[in-house]
Amino acid sequence: MAEGGNAVIDIHQVSFRYPEQETYALKDISFQVYEGEWLAIVGHNGSGKSTLARLLNGLQFPETGSITVGGLPLSEENVWEIRRRVGMVFQNPDNQFVGTTVQDDVAFGLENHGVPRDIMVERVHDALERVRMSAFLDREPHHLSGGQKQRVAIAGIIALQPKVIILDEATSMLDPVGRKEVLGTIRELKSEVGLTVISITHDLEEAAQADRMIVMNQGQVYKEGVPREIFQMDEKLIALGLDIPFPVKMAKALKTIGFDFPMIYLTDEELVDALWTLHLSK
Amino acid sequence: MMEKMIFGRYIPGDSVIHRMDPRSKLIFVFVFICIVFLANNAVTYAILTAFTMLVMLLSKVPVRFFINGLMPILWLVVFTFFLQLFFNREGQLVFHYAFIRIYSEGIRQGVFISLRFLLLIFLTSLLTLTTTPISLTDGIEMLLSPLLKIKFPVHELALMMSISLRFIPTLMDETEKIMKAQMARGVDFSGGSLKDRVKAIIPLLIPLFVSSFKRAEELATAMEARGYQGGEGRTKYRLLVWRPADTLSLCSLAAVTVLLVLFRDGGIL
């Protein structure tokens, strides 16, 4: 579904290194993000994933190369407009909660962009409705669970009505329930509002659900493709310090005792289907 | 840990006082602190006490919260009381035993000054008990806004205040966590000599500082990513509304001030 769509983000030969460092955090990276897709970026620690996210939001500027967001080139003048278009949810739910209460936090971004108060109230309520947190308007952050805080963070972003939402390991500090909740919320939003999602993640089950994946290795794009293609690499992924999702592992283990599967299965359901039909055909 | 903390604690409620504008409450408390010093005899103290009681009743906050708020400062109240009692040498000698001499004026002053303390503590804790931290910050920002003319960073101050308030519980939780983690490794926080105790604080303090720095950095990044560019060009989500009750409360305070001036010793009457 991705190829051929309109590119929302165009990254062209971008290199970046942190000040006073010899090695490049990102080296000669080029790819495009298409409208309405779910792109997962995976890679081991220090492969440059998070740096990439910071570049997309103008928190850092590339040393060479160019980044274009929705036709707007990233530069000092455009950076605030780009931040309005590209929302970012960070890893630690506690450290990105600015407001004293839930509604203040959602309003924070709107206040920054000078949105008039009556529109602000409407958007805050609407955004909280969407993430199913409207019952928590006046709650303080320390009374919320991690998953709830992340949902508030997402509400704060969608209140700004961005085109792209970047999840910078947004679920990595959550328990499995919270993770499922947050991802479910984003998936719903994506189909409702037509968001483009860039998810930077260690969670391969999550990446397996994406439309497209980019594997990063030592500051470079190692491989780009749909999850099924990527997880075919199997041993190579493990050599890169990554893992493979459980169904793929399971199928692999079954293969060693004589089962034969025609393809890669990414979800439990696909594998279960394959197993019971296999049993029937025997 | 949070349960014992009364300082800056807000008790949700729905009373006249809760609904008042934070600005009027701040002005009210400030003026009250000043006029408490006008009282210098039984009548004026009676007026002040009655007035404070009335305000406390109106707030519908359970008395135990006021008592809790008082606890940490109680020793100061008691200390000043005894200081007056034993060292004030005016008036008649009431009691004499060995080296202890208690004079009538000492008792009078002791009672008055402790009462003054109590009134101040009750009214100031009423402010935090009935006002959410965020509206307090809003109120302070608005009241300080004239200072913008002399380039005082009012918005920055208000933002700092609201962020600190928001992080108090988070940091308390973290302190407790670090404390327990260090206790699990054998650090003894509760026993030993003064020197040992101070030493035991270090493995608590350093990680707390380091993590606060990290927190601050992450928070700043998140704020920037959400378009925070400073106070200019920002709109406000919270709205402060000045109601008749606010004007009324300040008028009543003015009336009390007039009464105090009339009835105090050396006053007009």
Side-chain angles (χ1 to χ4, degrees):
Chain A
M1 66 177 72
E3 305 291 329
N6 294 324
V8 215
I9 298 184
D10 188 9
I11 296 164
H12 186 68
Q13 292 183 336
V14 164
S15 293
F16 175 82
R17 62 180 161 182
Y18 285 98
E20 290 160 34
Q21 268 187 358
E22 289 286 303
T23 50
Y24 281 88
L26 292 174
K27 202 157 181 351
D28 203 22
I29 288 200
S30 300
F31 65 88
Q32 290 182 320
V33 185
Y34 304 104
E35 211 171 306
E37 77 169 334
W38 185 304
L39 175 71
I41 300 179
V42 297
H44 56 85
N45 285 339
S47 60
K49 315 186 291 293
S50 292
T51 310
L52 187 61
R54 294 173 68 93
L55 285 174
L56 291 181
N57 205 301
L59 291 167
Q60 305 277 8
F61 288 94
E63 206 175 279
T64 55
S66 66
I67 296 175
T68 319
V69 179
L72 210 62
L74 179 73
S75 64
E76 296 277 358
E77 309 96 70
N78 290 339
V79 70
W80 299 106
E81 177 54 29
I82 284 181
R83 281 180 193 160
R84 222 188 56 70
R85 295 184 188 186
V86 182
M88 218 163 153
V89 182
F90 295 89
Q91 185 175 22
N92 190 324
D94 253 321
N95 296 355
Q96 57 178 318
F97 206 108
V98 189
T100 328
T101 63
V102 166
Q103 52 176 337
D104 288 302
D105 191 63
V106 177
F108 179 73
L110 296 168
E111 289 180 322
N112 291 337
H113 288 101
V115 176
R117 190 178 179 272
D118 39 339
I119 301 179
M120 198 147 50
V121 173
E122 207 175 286
R123 286 219 216 156
V124 167
H125 286 89
D126 178 61
L128 284 170
E129 189 78 42
R130 282 181 190 280
V131 300
R132 295 187 305 280
M133 288 292 288
S134 7
F136 299 86
L137 274 183
D138 282 313
R139 283 296 181 88
E140 289 158 14
H142 62 277
H143 290 136
L144 301 177
S145 72
Q148 287 172 329
K149 275 180 232 172
Q150 288 301 63
R151 265 153 61 197
V152 173
I154 294 167
I157 306 285
I158 57 172
L160 283 171
Q161 303 175 340
K163 287 193 156 59
V164 183
I165 184 162
I166 302 178
L167 308 173
D168 187 2
E169 298 185 34
T171 57
S172 65
M173 289 177 88
L174 303 181
D175 57 13
V177 179
R179 186 174 299 185
K180 220 172 171 180
E181 255 178 25
V182 168
L183 288 175
T185 307
I186 295 195
R187 206 157 279 138
E188 266 168 45
L189 282 172
K190 184 178 168 287
S191 56
E192 264 175 55
V193 200
L195 276 175
T196 307
V197 181
I198 303 177
S199 147
I200 288 164
T201 182
H202 278 292
D203 183 4
L204 292 160
E205 317 279 332
E206 182 192 328
Q209 308 287 314
D211 297 324
R212 202 157 58 98
M213 275 176 79
I214 287 179
V215 182
M216 302 274 298
N217 184 35
Q218 298 185 334
Q220 286 176 308
V221 174
Y222 180 80
K223 183 137 173 112
E224 196 181 329
V226 295
R228 223 174 282 279
E229 256 175 84
I230 301 283
F231 289 118
Q232 227 136 29
M233 300 201 303
D234 201 4
E235 296 292 326
K236 273 191 217 150
L237 278 182
I238 293 169
L240 287 181
L242 291 168
D243 202 2
I244 42 178
F246 175 73
V248 182
K249 259 190 211 163
M250 186 72 199
K252 210 178 136 194
L254 287 171
K255 262 182 196 164
T256 59
I257 55 164
F259 282 83
D260 192 27
F261 299 107
M263 59 185 280
I264 296 268
Y265 303 109
L266 293 178
T267 61
D268 296 353
E269 218 168 63
E270 281 177 10
L271 182 66
V272 170
D273 278 350
L275 280 173
W276 75 260
T277 45
L278 195 74
H279 187 68
L280 278 183
S281 61
K282 258 188 185 171
Chain B
M1 221 162 171
M2 273 311 284
E3 293 317 304
K4 283 188 214 147
M5 270 275 290
I6 188 71
F7 170 74
R9 178 109 170 263
Y10 167 68
I11 310 296
D14 186 36
S15 67
V16 192
I17 312 275
H18 278 89
R19 282 193 297 270
M20 265 167 68
D21 190 298
R23 285 171 294 180
S24 69
K25 281 195 259 191
L26 280 162
I27 298 172
F28 187 96
V29 169
F30 181 75
V31 174
F32 186 84
I33 292 172
C34 298
I35 64 167
V36 158
F37 294 94
L38 283 175
N40 60 359
N41 60 21
V43 183
T44 44
Y45 270 108
I47 296 173
L48 270 183
T49 314
F51 186 62
T52 314
M53 298 284 232
L54 180 74
V55 178
M56 279 164 65
L57 271 179
L58 278 177
S59 76
K60 294 186 197 157
V61 175
V63 182
R64 65 189 162 92
F65 287 111
F66 292 102
I67 306 293
N68 283 346
L70 180 64
M71 283 308 162
I73 331 178
L74 196 61
W75 67 270
L76 195 69
V77 178
V78 174
F79 180 74
T80 33
F81 177 74
F82 281 107
L83 207 66
Q84 285 292 338
L85 201 60
F86 293 136
F87 295 100
N88 198 319
R89 294 274 186 264
E90 279 164 45
Q92 286 171 310
L93 185 66
V94 191
F95 179 81
H96 186 192
Y97 176 79
F99 60 92
I100 298 171
R101 289 155 191 270
I102 291 173
Y103 292 83
S104 63
E105 193 64 19
I107 300 175
R108 211 172 84 95
Q109 283 298 329
V111 171
F112 281 172
I113 288 174
S114 323
L115 191 64
R116 185 184 287 173
F117 260 117
L118 288 184
L119 294 179
L120 283 177
I121 293 162
F122 282 165
L123 221 85
T124 41
S125 44
L126 190 71
L127 176 72
T128 51
L129 285 171
T130 60
T131 322
T132 52
I134 186 73
S135 49
L136 261 187
T137 338
D138 282 346
I140 292 172
E141 183 176 2
M142 292 282 262
L143 287 177
L144 290 183
S145 58
L147 292 181
L148 273 175
K149 286 212 179 78
I150 56 161
K151 301 244 165 78
F152 185 81
V154 175
H155 163 76
E156 283 76 2
L157 183 78
L159 184 81
M160 260 156 56
M161 279 176 60
S162 81
I163 289 178
S164 339
L165 286 169
R166 175 245 168 280
F167 272 98
I168 289 174
T170 314
L171 288 177
M172 295 276 271
D173 276 353
E174 182 160 13
T175 311
E176 213 175 330
K177 234 185 260 171
I178 298 175
M179 223 165 152
K180 282 186 179 147
Q182 301 291 28
M183 274 155 80
R185 295 162 161 201
V187 176
D188 183 10
F189 285 105
S190 54
S193 65
L194 189 67
K195 199 179 148 207
D196 286 339
R197 281 189 189 213
V198 172
K199 265 190 178 163
I201 298 290
I202 294 172
L204 175 66
L205 223 50
I206 304 279
L208 202 59
F209 263 104
V210 173
S211 85
S212 299
F213 276 116
K214 209 179 142 224
R215 258 180 218 287
E217 205 186 331
E218 279 182 28
L219 185 72
T221 312
M223 284 170 68
E224 212 181 314
R226 287 169 71 181
Y228 180 74
Q229 310 174 57
E232 257 168 74
R234 268 186 117 232
T235 43
K236 284 191 100 24
Y237 180 67
R238 295 199 162 259
L239 211 60
L240 298 180
V241 200
W242 191 279
R243 291 194 186 81
D246 296 297
T247 318
L248 204 67
S249 74
L250 293 186
C251 288
S252 71
L253 194 61
V256 170
T257 315
V258 171
L259 284 179
L260 287 181
V261 171
L262 287 177
F263 286 106
R264 74 191 293 252
D265 286 346
I268 296 163
L269 282 183

